[in-house]
Amino acid sequence: MRFVVRVAVNAFAIWIVTLLPALQVTLIPFAPGEGLQVALTVLVVGLIFALVNTLVGTVVKIVAIPLYILTLGLISLVINGFLLWLTGVITENGDWGLRTGEFWLTVVAALLIGIINAVLGGILRPRRDDRARR
């Protein structure tokens, strides 16, 4: 259940970021590109971003522990930007997906996605102690 909520929150955050043209992050929906296709594309991109964050992000963050110490954690902005860019690379092979612009604008977009994820994730994700009572 937590992963489903994480994917939904990721999808919403990515959709919000794509609405800001200054960040140069665009979403190419499945054909013909109407409402349902846009929503489905956002959900699939959110799923891919969650998987990239879970699989690749964990490895990169473990390897970058010395950089976290040296930069007092600021390297996490660059790593999150890299993971968003990687999601765009994975989805750009088809005629749908996420397209990113300049790398530093992608880092800003990843920061915004992280803020939205933190706020909405804190509100919507089920807590572990709630599951233990059921």
Side-chain angles (χ1 to χ4, degrees), residues 51-66 68 79 82-83 86:
L51 290 173
V52 166
N53 247 338
T54 302
L55 301 174
V56 178
T58 303
V59 173
V60 170
K61 289 172 186 173
I62 290 172
V63 170
I65 286 175
Y68 275 95
I79 290 173
F82 167 73
L83 295 174
L86 185 61

Side-chain angles (χ1 to χ4, degrees), residues 40-104:
L40 185 60
T41 306
V42 168
L43 284 173
V44 170
V45 169
L47 173 67
I48 293 171
F49 186 60
L51 290 173
V52 166
N53 247 338
T54 302
L55 301 174
V56 178
T58 303
V59 173
V60 170
K61 289 172 186 173
I62 290 172
V63 170
I65 286 175
L67 291 175
Y68 275 95
I69 295 169
L70 286 174
T71 63
L72 301 175
L74 291 176
I75 193 69
S76 66
L77 298 174
V78 175
I79 290 173
N80 288 338
F82 167 73
L83 295 174
L84 184 63
W85 171 81
L86 185 61
T87 301
V89 168
I90 290 170
T91 62
E92 77 181 4
N93 291 329
D95 56 348
W96 61 276
L98 191 69
R99 306 294 188 267
T100 58
E102 295 180 23
F103 180 72
W104 292 111

